[in-house]
Amino acid sequence: MEANVASSSSSTFASRSLLLAVCGARINISKKNANPHHHRYSFPVRNPPGCPLVLWKLKAHSVNVGNFAVPLQCAAFGSKRRTKFYKTIRGAGETLLSSSILQTSWGLKKIHAWYVPSPFSFGNLVGVHAKIQTLISRKKEFKHNICIFFTRVVITAMLAISLSVTINKSPAWALTEENLLFLEAWRTVDRAYVDKSFNGQSWFRYRENALRNEPMNTREETYRAIKKMLSTLDDPFTRFLEPEKFKSLRSGTQGALTGVGLSIGYPLVLNGSPTGLVVVSSAPGGPADKAGIVSGDIILAIDDESTEDMDIYDAAERLQGTEGSSVKLVIHSGPEIKDVVLRREKITFNPVKTRLCEITRSGAEKSRIGYIKLTSFNQNASGAVKDAIETLRSNGVKAFVLDLRNNSGGLFPEGIEIAKIWLDKGVIVYICDNRGVRDIYEADGSNTVAASEPLTVLVNKGTASASEILAGALKDNRRAVLYGEPTFGKGKIQSVFELSDGSGLAVTVARYETPAHTNIDKVGIKPDHPLPTPFPTDEEEFCSCLKDPSSPCNLSSSQLFSR
């Protein structure tokens, strides 16, 4: 829009005009017969589209004649509905803005006006331009200084609060030796445990509450506090081991322990009710073997404590103990129930048993099948399996049966090494955490011993952990046919950590998937075929089932190795 204002003035100012553009508006000022020293005009200028100003009033104009004019910046004000804009032009180099503008200049939002000379200039306004720039510069400098000031105040306050929180989180009491042992266990789980949500709880807050509220005046109280802490994870495989139990576990995985020479399996179920723990095997020449305890017998009680709902790990700990000490067992063997007292002694386990089964086919042709029963994955396991294969092969064996029934696992690396014995290539297992696959174990052919002979693997619900890793690798790589029933479904891996006082922690550090990316946790591995019922668990009876076609457990060799 345009606004034109005229007044009486001398002819000196005739045809001379000042054009101001304020936020897009156009204002023409003509002066006729004006007082050359000071004249004021007041008029409204309406706001054009896109301009933040709605209504302007222009007042107090004084114009002196000069010979030179330059571009001039003026101020435009912010968001109020009506704003008064005062200007005073008194002469070259004098201030354009009156004190009334200085009082309201904190509301400035745009610098959006300029002076354009007509063909006949009005005066030298260089100084005016400089003064306005100085005002704008000072305003920006003030805002910048205010921002720096408040930023420093906020940062100082945050540092003070942070320091206060840090001091408050530090215990107000001195940590005792028992507290330090508890913290050692807490840190071990914090670093290694597979579930970083810690079963949906604040692991740090649990530590702080336990240090304040749990009694830890004696070592026994500290052990109870650690066990209580682990119970909140709801993971039966993450557990605390007192020094003696930790020592026994370590010696057991090394192929020797102090106990009664029994390998036990998961609870059996007869007529719909759990009846106890099954004896998988008795170490030859050990206390249990001398007492006549054989594979398939049921342990009903240990030291007068029923095994009906007893965890297998708890039972194993009860059977082990100091060399020369005694343990009382109630055994269900066939139709007989008997009490047996066994004296513990140091036992060396050979985890492998073998049998050569010679089967006569039609005519005079005979086939030889090598049966290998692997009872645990201790440090001797992979070497014992290699020796068994070589021995059976030297006796003309052309096919193998690997029995993993009631093998509850052991050392994870031994499971990997035994898989490599049977595989020349392929993935053995994927190790995973909450973010997905983090490691892959594969066979490269360097440790292969028997990669081509027909192989059948026997499994049941007592097949767990490292046994399931081995069975899953052989099945998914189509290296073996699986017979039996679904396995236990322990799809997690534990590592054992020793604490400073000789006790230990078994901690779940990862889960695993089979080569087909099957997560078997709480599901197990499904075999290709079921076994006939009943089917023997020892090597002698196994060969009898293969030899006798009339036996209810009979499997022909063609059936045994068929998919």
Side-chain angles (χ1 to χ4, degrees):
M1 64 174 291
E2 290 191 5
N4 296 291
V5 179
S7 66
S8 297
S9 182
S10 67
S11 59
T12 309
F13 293 92
S15 303
R16 299 179 183 181
S17 65
L18 174 67
L19 176 62
L20 289 176
V22 181
C23 206
R26 297 185 58 180
I27 307 166
N28 287 311
I29 303 175
S30 298
K31 303 180 70 66
K32 293 181 181 179
N33 302 317
N35 185 329
H37 300 292
H38 192 241
H39 282 269
R40 298 172 181 268
Y41 302 93
S42 177
F43 55 90
V45 180
R46 296 195 176 276
N47 184 51
C51 178
L53 305 179
V54 177
L55 188 63
W56 291 80
K57 281 194 175 183
L58 189 63
K59 288 187 176 182
H61 288 275
S62 237
V63 180
N64 284 330
V65 176
N67 298 318
F68 183 72
V70 295
L72 172 66
Q73 287 188 325
C74 293
F77 289 96
S79 58
K80 291 185 179 180
R81 185 68 179 169
R82 183 180 295 270
T83 306
K84 291 186 177 181
F85 191 104
Y86 296 98
K87 294 184 179 179
T88 303
I89 305 177
R90 295 177 178 170
E94 292 192 20
T95 182
L96 176 65
L97 302 179
S98 68
S99 60
S100 60
I101 292 181
L102 292 175
Q103 293 170 5
T104 59
S105 63
W106 311 121
L108 287 175
K109 285 192 175 179
K110 287 191 177 181
I111 307 301
H112 216 41
W114 59 92
Y115 168 77
V116 180
S118 68
F120 304 96
S121 298
F122 280 100
N124 188 348
L125 301 179
V126 175
V128 176
H129 177 270
K131 293 276 181 124
I132 295 173
Q133 290 290 5
T134 301
L135 175 64
I136 295 169
S137 176
R138 287 178 179 175
K139 174 195 167 185
K140 290 182 178 179
E141 183 180 356
F142 178 80
K143 283 187 174 181
H144 179 69
N145 292 338
I146 287 292
C147 290
I148 292 176
F149 173 75
F150 280 108
T151 301
R152 289 175 177 173
V153 170
V154 170
I155 292 174
T156 302
M158 291 177 65
L159 289 174
I161 293 171
S162 175
L163 180 60
S164 174
V165 170
T166 303
I167 293 172
N168 288 338
K169 284 187 176 181
S170 299
W173 61 92
L175 293 174
T176 67
E177 183 179 350
E178 301 305 321
N179 294 148
L180 293 174
L181 180 61
F182 176 85
L183 286 174
E184 184 183 359
W186 180 91
R187 281 193 297 269
T188 300
V189 177
D190 181 59
R191 294 168 183 168
Y193 193 58
V194 62
D195 178 13
K196 294 308 178 184
S197 76
F198 300 97
N199 197 28
Q201 65 179 321
S202 171
W203 197 237
F204 176 81
R205 183 174 298 172
Y206 185 92
R207 183 195 78 174
E208 297 302 293
N209 291 337
L211 288 174
R212 287 185 173 89
N213 303 322
E214 293 293 332
M216 299 182 202
N217 300 312
T218 65
R219 188 54 47 94
E220 289 71 22
E221 287 181 341
T222 303
Y223 287 168
R224 282 196 295 270
I226 294 174
K227 290 178 180 179
K228 183 178 179 180
M229 174 182 70
L230 298 181
S231 69
T232 65
L233 300 174
D234 194 25
D235 179 2
F237 303 109
T238 296
R239 54 201 174 96
F240 175 75
L241 302 167
E242 288 84 354
E244 283 300 319
K245 293 178 180 179
F246 178 73
K247 184 178 178 181
S248 296
L249 174 66
R250 185 166 54 184
S251 61
T253 59
Q254 292 171 349
L257 54 81
T258 301
V260 296
L262 281 176
S263 176
I264 57 177
Y266 284 87
L268 292 176
V269 177
L270 297 177
N271 301 323
S273 301
T275 59
L277 302 175
V278 63
V279 173
V280 176
S281 62
S282 298
D289 182 54
K290 294 174 184 176
I293 299 175
V294 297
S295 177
D297 285 353
I298 305 299
I299 303 173
L300 300 178
I302 303 174
D303 283 335
D304 298 324
E305 186 78 23
S306 173
T307 61
E308 183 174 346
D309 298 316
M310 187 177 293
D311 182 83
I312 188 172
Y313 295 107
D314 188 22
E317 290 168 0
R318 290 170 182 267
L319 291 173
Q320 298 168 25
T322 307
E323 186 174 3
S325 61
S326 297
V327 59
K328 178 184 175 183
L329 305 180
V330 178
I331 302 293
H332 187 181
S333 182
E336 182 184 3
I337 295 178
K338 57 185 180 180
D339 293 340
V340 180
V341 177
L342 303 176
R343 186 174 296 276
R344 298 181 180 96
E345 57 185 61
K346 186 166 288 187
I347 306 295
T348 300
F349 274 107
N350 183 351
V352 171
K353 293 182 179 180
T354 62
R355 189 75 176 179
L356 192 155
C357 301
E358 191 172 68
I359 302 170
T360 303
R361 294 182 178 178
S362 57
E365 184 183 359
K366 294 183 178 181
S367 64
R368 293 187 171 188
I369 297 174
Y371 174 87
I372 301 174
K373 186 173 183 65
L374 180 61
T375 58
S376 65
F377 289 81
N378 61 26
Q379 288 185 351
N380 303 327
S382 59
V385 170
K386 284 182 181 179
D387 292 342
I389 292 172
E390 296 294 350
T391 300
L392 291 169
R393 187 183 278 160
S394 66
N395 286 302
V397 165
K398 302 297 182 181
F400 294 94
V401 173
L402 178 62
D403 192 349
L404 298 177
R405 290 175 297 169
N406 293 317
N407 183 332
S408 58
L411 297 176
F412 171 79
E414 287 298 301
I416 300 299
E417 290 304 312
I418 293 173
K420 290 179 179 179
I421 290 173
W422 302 100
L423 293 169
D424 58 355
K425 63 179 179 179
V427 173
I428 298 171
V429 68
Y430 294 104
I431 305 301
C432 310
D433 56 20
N434 289 345
R435 292 172 290 183
V437 175
R438 77 179 193 197
D439 204 356
I440 303 173
Y441 288 85
E442 299 178 277
D444 58 7
S446 60
N447 295 325
T448 304
V449 175
S452 58
E453 293 95 336
L455 176 64
T456 289
V457 177
L458 308 183
V459 296
N460 67 358
K461 62 185 177 183
T463 303
S465 192
S467 295
E468 291 176 289
I469 291 175
L470 176 57
L474 297 177
K475 179 186 178 183
D476 287 358
N477 284 287
R478 300 186 66 80
R479 175 64 187 89
V481 180
L482 265 63
Y483 271 83
E485 60 186 356
T487 61
F488 179 75
K490 182 178 179 292
K492 295 177 179 177
I493 299 171
Q494 286 72 42
S495 289
V496 180
F497 301 89
E498 184 175 8
L499 301 181
S500 57
D501 74 328
S503 61
L505 293 175
V507 180
T508 300
V509 296
R511 63 179 177 86
Y512 67 83
E513 295 176 357
T514 70
H517 284 290
T518 301
N519 183 357
I520 69 162
D521 195 46
K522 300 180 181 178
V523 177
I525 296 173
K526 184 178 179 181
D528 298 304
H529 306 289
L531 282 170
T533 304
F535 198 84
T537 58
D538 63 278
E539 63 275 15
E540 291 290 345
E541 293 296 324
F542 173 80
C543 286
S544 298
C545 286
L546 298 185
K547 290 178 181 179
D548 185 3
S550 63
S551 172
C553 65
N554 178 253
L555 276 174
S556 67
S557 57
S558 59
Q559 286 178 296
L560 190 61
F561 299 104
S562 172
R563 295 190 180 279

